[in-house]
Amino acid sequence: MKINRQDVETVALLSRLEMTPEELEAYAVQLNAILEYADILNKLDTKGVEPTAHVLPLKNVMRPDEVKPSLPRELALANAPEAEDGYFKVPKIMEG
Amino acid sequence: MELFKHTAHALHDMLQSKQISAVELTNAVFARTDAVEPKLRSYITETREQALAQAAAVDNKIARGEQIAPLAGIPGALKDNICTKGVKTTCASRILANFVPPYDATVVDKLAAQDAVLVGKTNCDEFAMGGSTENSGFFITRNPWDTDRVPGGSSGGSAAAVTAGQAIWALGSDTGGSIRQPAAYCGNVGLKPTYGRVSRYGLVAYASSLDQIGPFAKDVTDCALVLNAIAGHDAKDSTSINAAAPDYTKALVQDVKGLKIGLPKEYFAAGIQPEVAAAIQKAVDQLVAMGAEVREVSLPHTEYALPAYYLIAPAEASSNLARYDGVGFGHRASGSDIIDMYKKSRSEGFGPEVKRRVMLGTYALSSGYYDAYYLKALQVRTLVKQDFDKAFAEVDVLIAPTAPTTAFKIGELSDPLAMYLQDICTIPVNLAGLPGISIPCGFAQGLPVGMQIIGKPLAEATIIQAAYAFEQANDYHTRFAPLGEG
């Protein structure tokens, strides 16, 4: 077993997902199958092999530091589930 | 022949010579959609009013005697993960069901500069995660060749729309085969450009190091025209290649003399439907008869590409999709505190495949597993890329099946891992960032078979030329799906 129900619960929390007990069971089975399949990677000796996070040899793409028009506030807020006085509104994040 | 059956290049000539008007053409495409959409369901959103205004503007230009751009007045569709200002962009996800982008993707700007007519936003697997369009958060799309079958995915709506004449061309996005595989299943032409060739600005991110936008078209000529319209450097995408794009129509030459073709033996291994392998072999024999040379090559790490991809792509996805938190945009559920709000919003908004990949990626990136899974996968990615480098030292292009089988039945692949195996021939190309094109090369039990031609980085012209030479020697691209008979 690569990943048990308990692990899935932890990963779900880290992923900010809420799961029913049935979902936790089902995902444990499915993620296990995928991770077991991924085990074949361990057949390869990759000692000393550079990782490729990105195929292009691009580094630090810069542009001149010039002020340009930005998205108007009303457009930036247009899709907000809740907004007030020009700000995004969220549930209380602190006690008191 | 009905207008929706013509290619973009034929329609361009008809528009410029005033045989037809752009408004007439656009209405013909709408009428076609009215007729077939109940069966296929290619579109999430249609933009008819806007399209007719764009078409009328093109007609005015023609009336003034102006020379119009190749795609001017030609109706096309966009996968619904490409941002359109003022037009809903949902990624086929309930979490973005009402999202209206405040800006256009760069490809949309470029198409507007050509006066292209945009008729709608097509269905796909949610956030482009899947290979059948069954993972759409809204509804499934059906294959025009057999409506009991999937159109492929994730860009299934774009593929079905082009095959059925609901659009003359379309854009999709390809992270692990999501343009090429549906093009193969629907019997049209689909091209994934070199990573960085087309700007990703405004493409909703799934796996940023793999995603690329590309065209669906009825033939290779149209594919070159759409690629011409969208390719090139973009300062808004820091991963865009800073080199001018050539005119890809110059590659529309019917000549493969001396072209060195490599057949990667691993792509013809067990699991490939025999009729698919036979169709590819027949096509290669034909190219050889036309003057190409062929040799077998080996990409020894092929079997490792798929598991590496299914760690890398979900890892990137888990990070990219963290932005859907119910704060700035998208669905928000009410919760007892902010964490509860995040969890409820995301759980209600995301479908099962997205949740599966977000969790898989979160796990692969989490403390204690990062080296064993994510880093290991990135090292394997290097080996996969080196395989291609070695092969391309000997040959100009690689030819392989696009997918191991023809289109499968809706509901047939219910196991996630079985579904992932459909990407076995396309995923390595994304890991290496290479260009690949799928063109129809035959039929098996009435379903189209796609041939994939893979090129060196930025060698889109080479694969287009090989594809064009093959296409012109055959008539597969002129056949209509059963729904295409009108």
Side-chain angles (χ1 to χ4, degrees):
Chain A
M1 216 42 188
K2 293 261 151 207
I3 182 166
N4 58 33
R5 204 195 124 126
Q6 189 72 45
D7 299 328
V8 176
E9 217 168 329
T10 309
V11 172
L13 176 67
L14 290 172
S15 307
R16 299 290 184 254
L17 291 168
E18 196 169 68
M19 299 266 153
T20 63
E22 295 74 36
E23 282 178 305
L24 287 173
E25 288 298 336
Y27 282 117
V29 172
Q30 289 167 353
L31 294 178
N32 223 23
I34 297 164
L35 291 168
E36 269 170 18
Y37 173 62
D39 251 0
I40 71 159
L41 296 180
N42 292 322
K43 289 202 301 188
L44 283 174
D45 181 8
T46 51
K47 215 160 129 197
V49 177
E50 282 293 312
T52 299
H54 212 273
V55 289
L56 297 177
L58 288 170
K59 268 191 190 132
N60 299 335
V61 177
M62 309 290 251
R63 62 165 175 80
D65 185 16
E66 288 162 359
V67 177
K68 287 183 181 170
S70 52
L71 200 60
R73 180 180 285 222
E74 58 275 19
L75 267 184
L77 288 167
N79 280 290
E82 224 183 324
E84 199 175 291
D85 300 332
Y87 294 94
F88 294 104
K89 193 174 175 188
V90 295
K92 200 159 67 168
I93 56 171
M94 279 183 282
E95 292 302 320
Chain B
M1 191 161 79
E2 296 99 322
L3 287 180
F4 67 81
K5 289 188 175 178
H6 288 282
T7 57
H9 56 95
L11 290 165
H12 170 79
D13 294 343
M14 292 158 81
L15 286 170
Q16 190 73 70
S17 63
K18 299 183 185 170
Q19 289 171 63
I20 58 165
S21 75
V23 167
E24 189 186 339
L25 169 59
T26 303
N27 277 320
V29 167
F30 292 160
R32 177 61 177 169
T33 294
D34 288 338
V36 301
E37 185 66 3
K39 283 184 231 166
L40 298 178
R41 306 209 67 186
S42 304
Y43 286 105
I44 291 174
T45 303
E46 288 190 62
T47 50
R48 295 194 177 197
E49 206 175 314
Q50 185 184 314
L52 284 171
Q54 288 165 332
V58 172
D59 285 334
N60 283 336
K61 281 194 178 181
I62 296 167
R64 289 197 299 268
E66 287 180 35
Q67 188 69 35
I68 57 167
L71 293 181
I74 314 286
L78 304 174
K79 185 178 183 179
D80 207 24
N81 62 350
I82 297 173
C83 284
T84 41
K85 187 175 182 172
V87 174
K88 234 173 28 170
T89 300
T90 69
C91 294
S93 180
R94 296 198 169 277
I95 212 157
L96 287 179
N98 298 310
F99 177 63
V100 179
Y103 64 92
D104 277 323
T106 294
V107 291
V108 176
D109 284 340
K110 282 174 168 272
L111 291 164
Q114 282 237 352
D115 297 318
V117 169
L118 300 178
V119 294
K121 307 291 296 287
T122 57
N123 196 22
C124 55
D125 287 301
E126 185 178 0
F127 285 104
M129 297 180 192
S132 67
T133 315
E134 291 167 295
N135 294 337
S136 166
F138 303 130
F139 48 81
I140 59 171
T141 297
R142 290 168 183 271
N143 190 315
W145 290 92
D146 177 350
T147 51
D148 288 337
R149 291 177 190 270
V150 303
S154 65
S155 315
S158 286
V162 169
T163 288
Q166 299 179 273
I168 307 300
W169 56 272
L171 295 187
S173 67
D174 189 316
T175 305
S178 285
I179 292 173
R180 290 159 290 158
Q181 184 254 33
Y185 284 5
C186 289
N188 55 44
V189 178
L191 186 145
K192 181 200 97 70
T194 306
Y195 182 81
R197 177 74 292 182
V198 175
S199 169
R200 292 184 297 112
Y201 180 78
L203 171 67
V204 178
Y206 155 26
S208 309
S209 81
L210 303 161
D211 298 340
Q212 227 356 236
I213 296 174
F216 285 93
K218 293 181 172 183
D219 68 1
V220 177
T221 302
D222 281 6
C223 178
L225 289 171
V226 180
L227 185 59
N228 269 359
I230 61 173
H233 179 247
D234 179 17
K236 290 176 183 162
D237 173 4
S238 63
T239 61
S240 135
I241 293 172
N242 197 353
D247 175 1
Y248 294 105
T249 62
K250 293 220 163 65
L252 301 170
V253 182
Q254 208 182 335
D255 179 13
V256 289
K257 275 186 211 71
L259 181 79
K260 295 197 198 75
I261 298 170
L263 293 185
K265 63 176 181 190
E266 291 82 2
Y267 287 60
F268 294 86
I272 304 290
Q273 189 182 327
E275 294 95 329
V276 169
I280 306 293
Q281 189 58 55
K282 189 165 159 252
V284 170
D285 291 345
Q286 206 181 342
L287 286 165
V288 169
M290 292 160 68
E293 297 163 23
V294 67
R295 70 181 73 172
E296 189 181 90
V297 297
S298 176
L299 301 169
H301 296 97
T302 299
E303 68 167 312
Y304 304 103
L306 195 71
Y309 173 90
Y310 277 103
L311 294 171
I312 294 168
E316 294 187 20
S318 70
S319 169
N320 276 324
L321 273 61
R323 74 191 61 171
Y324 304 103
D325 57 5
V327 175
F329 48 83
H331 174 72
R332 177 191 287 190
S334 57
S336 55
D337 58 26
I338 194 151
I339 301 285
D340 194 46
M341 185 277 278
Y342 292 153
K343 284 165 67 176
K344 288 199 163 67
S345 300
R346 289 165 63 81
S347 299
E348 290 174 11
F350 290 148
E353 183 62 29
V354 173
K355 289 179 186 170
R356 190 152 40 236
R357 294 199 196 188
V358 165
M359 288 202 291
L360 185 58
T362 302
Y363 182 72
L365 290 176
S366 64
S367 156
Y369 300 101
Y370 182 93
D371 285 1
Y373 289 111
Y374 183 64
L375 194 65
K376 183 82 181 178
L378 293 185
Q379 289 175 310
V380 172
R381 183 175 186 183
T382 304
L383 299 175
V384 168
K385 188 169 178 290
Q386 286 170 351
D387 283 354
F388 282 109
D389 292 344
K390 280 179 203 148
F392 280 125
E394 288 179 41
V395 298
D396 301 313
V397 297
L398 295 167
I399 290 186
T402 305
T405 67
T406 53
F408 49 90
K409 288 211 161 123
I410 289 164
E412 190 179 332
L413 299 184
S414 53
D415 171 46
L417 201 49
M419 182 75 85
Y420 297 171
L421 287 165
Q422 284 293 311
D423 305 335
I424 200 138
C425 303
T426 45
I427 270 176
V429 178
N430 296 78
L431 289 176
L434 303 170
I437 190 169
S438 179
I439 55 166
C441 74
F443 288 85
Q445 286 109 40
L447 297 170
V449 176
M451 169 165 70
Q452 183 180 205
I453 310 176
I454 304 161
K456 297 175 189 177
L458 293 178
E460 280 82 1
T462 311
I463 60 174
I464 285 172
Q465 181 166 342
Y468 180 75
F470 177 80
E471 174 191 85
Q472 293 300 305
N474 294 283
D475 68 352
Y476 303 120
H477 64 294
T478 64
R479 301 204 197 163
F480 288 102
L483 274 171
E485 312 281 13

